[in-house]
Amino acid sequence: MNLRVRLLLAEYRLLLLYVGRWLGLSALVALLAGTASAAFLVALEWVTDWREAHDWMVALLPLGGLLVGSLYYYLGQSVEAGNNLILDEIHQPRTPLPLRMVPLVLLGTLLTHLFGGSAGREGTAVQMGGSLADQLTRWLRVRPQERPILLVAGISAGFASVFGTPLAGAVFGLEVLLLGRLRYTALVPALLAAAGADWVTRAWGVGHTAYPVVAVPELSGLNLLLAVGAGVAFGLVSRLFGSVTHGIGDAFKTRVSWPPLRPVLGGAVVALLVWALGTTAYIGLGLPTIVAAFQEPVPPYAFVLKLLLTALTLGAGFKGGEVTPLFFIGATLGNALGLVLPLPLPLLTGMGFVAVFAGAANTPLACTLMAMELFGSSCGLYAGLACVSSYLFSGHRGIYGAQVIGEPKHRRWLRQQGKRLRDI
């Protein structure tokens, strides 16, 4: 009996030491990432308001492209890969992430939004969270085998704090690494860092966009099939977004040899399109349109325009994330599907909001949790079906080329297991 008690105490002592260690490390990650996200969100709101009050700024988008392009060409070539650099370091650790990633992605994203590019904010928050977390490996002499876990915590903290979704943020950091698998060794640090970073951001007095709680119809076979069918459409559009963005990026790299000139040309095209459209609704984050899509019909072509402008902006070399534009594309596509599918408009909008992102990022579980955190837990089943269908029909494609295929989406693609998306 005494031996059993001693063994039990020894077991729980190890567990307590493990939790205590990661509670401390995750708290530091949360403090750094949450504070960085709070500052970023405040600055982003300011530059967005300034641009909306001064529409002529869009005409200077080529100048903004020159600034962003030059910034990365002369100072940031080592961190230009962004989120993919962090994923590569988790899969095959080589060198610590440069601290310069933080100010460069912050300034680059703010310039993109100030001049009217169509981009998001997730990439910025994730890169800041990952880079700041990686500095702890040197400052605190973290063991090499723990460095990938710390980077996952940084990703989770950045994602959770910029969107106000701690559960989705934690699972996103675990799910985005390996397509089809979760990295449970980082579960505790990811959850602690995500929850802590979200709390830190809110403690700074920085809030997030409020979305309505979505009412759902009664469960029926038809309604569930409709959710799956909508998910197929969301998955195909998410695949289209990735293909168009990468295609535009490859075209610029092939035909324009001097990198700073690429966003200049891309910015000129975006500025001309905005002038031709006569509205700024499809640049920046597009949050007003996203919110409106939950309340009333929006133009059924809105998702096409946002997809094109975002692909041009990011493909040309401007900085910012893909996620909020994907929210826009998905929400407006779901709104458009309301014209033909007999499901409530807010539900279709919410399903599209998360499912297009689920297909593009290959993170269906995180996106299902995000739907429940943003729109209420009752929509979880419908959102989950849409996200899983979107994930399946987006194929082995995505916005993160450094993702490794841990479990193929179909057994016929087993030969692709272990490969990065950019290599297939």
Side-chain angles (χ1 to χ4, degrees), residues 24 69 96 106 116 134 137 166 214 244 264 270 275 301 307 315 340 375 382-383 419:
L106 176 62
D134 205 23
T137 62
V214 173
V244 173
V264 174
V270 172
W275 174 79
Y301 52 80
L307 188 154
V340 294
F375 315 131
Y382 286 95
K419 295 182 179 180

Side-chain angles (χ1 to χ4, degrees), residues 39-361:
F40 169 55
L41 290 173
V42 170
L44 183 58
E45 183 178 13
W46 187 89
V47 299
T48 300
D49 291 343
W50 170 267
R51 188 199 66 239
E52 288 297 315
H54 304 84
D55 288 346
W56 52 266
M57 287 292 293
V58 180
L60 300 179
L61 188 55
L63 173 61
L66 180 61
L67 293 174
V68 174
S70 299
L71 188 70
Y72 270 81
Y73 182 66
Y74 293 108
L75 298 175
Q77 291 191 34
S78 62
V79 298
E80 192 171 11
N83 289 353
N84 286 310
L85 176 61
I86 301 176
L87 297 182
D88 281 333
E89 282 298 322
I90 294 173
H91 293 307
Q92 292 182 335
R94 294 184 182 89
T95 59
L97 298 173
L99 185 57
R100 70 175 62 186
M101 176 181 275
V102 176
L104 284 173
V105 72
L106 176 62
L107 183 56
T109 303
L110 293 177
L111 287 171
T112 296
H113 283 275
L114 177 64
F115 288 97
S118 177
R121 50 192 172 172
E122 142 275 340
T124 307
V126 166
Q127 289 175 52
M128 291 194 300
S131 180
L132 290 169
D134 205 23
Q135 306 314 306
L136 297 177
T137 62
R138 291 181 291 182
W139 299 343
L140 302 179
R141 297 181 181 179
V142 174
R143 291 188 290 268
Q145 61 268 32
E146 292 180 324
R147 180 176 173 242
I149 298 176
L150 201 60
L151 287 174
V152 171
I155 292 174
S156 297
F159 190 96
S161 57
V162 82
F163 293 122
T165 54
L167 287 177
V171 176
F172 177 81
L174 302 171
E175 196 175 18
V176 74
L177 307 176
L178 292 166
L179 189 151
R181 290 184 183 176
L182 292 178
R183 187 165 184 163
Y184 279 97
T185 54
L187 179 59
V188 171
L191 187 56
L192 290 173
D198 177 54
W199 180 85
V200 168
T201 300
R202 296 177 189 274
W204 280 111
V206 178
H208 303 279
T209 304
Y211 297 101
V213 174
V214 173
V216 300
E218 64 179 23
L219 290 178
S220 69
L222 176 61
N223 286 341
L224 296 180
L225 285 175
L226 290 173
V228 172
V232 173
F234 298 142
L236 294 176
V237 170
S238 72
R239 181 168 184 160
L240 177 65
F241 174 83
S243 298
V244 173
T245 303
H246 294 317
I248 290 175
D250 292 341
F252 272 109
K253 291 175 183 176
T254 300
R255 297 173 183 173
V256 184
S257 58
W258 193 49
L261 184 58
R262 297 167 191 163
V264 174
L265 298 176
V269 175
V270 172
L272 286 173
L273 287 174
V274 172
W275 174 79
L277 291 170
T279 177
T280 60
Y282 303 107
I283 59 175
L285 296 174
L287 292 176
T289 303
I290 296 175
V291 173
F294 283 90
Q295 303 166 351
E296 60 190 13
V298 298
Y301 52 80
F303 75 94
V304 178
L305 294 177
K306 186 64 174 178
L307 188 154
L308 176 61
L309 290 174
T310 305
L312 280 168
T313 299
L314 298 178
F318 284 91
K319 297 303 171 183
E322 300 95 343
V323 174
T324 305
L326 286 168
F327 291 163
F328 184 114
I329 293 167
T332 52
L333 174 58
N335 186 282
L337 289 177
L339 298 173
V340 294
L341 297 182
L343 288 175
L345 183 67
L347 177 61
L348 280 168
T349 300
M351 288 162 54
F353 183 108
V354 294
V356 171
F357 173 42

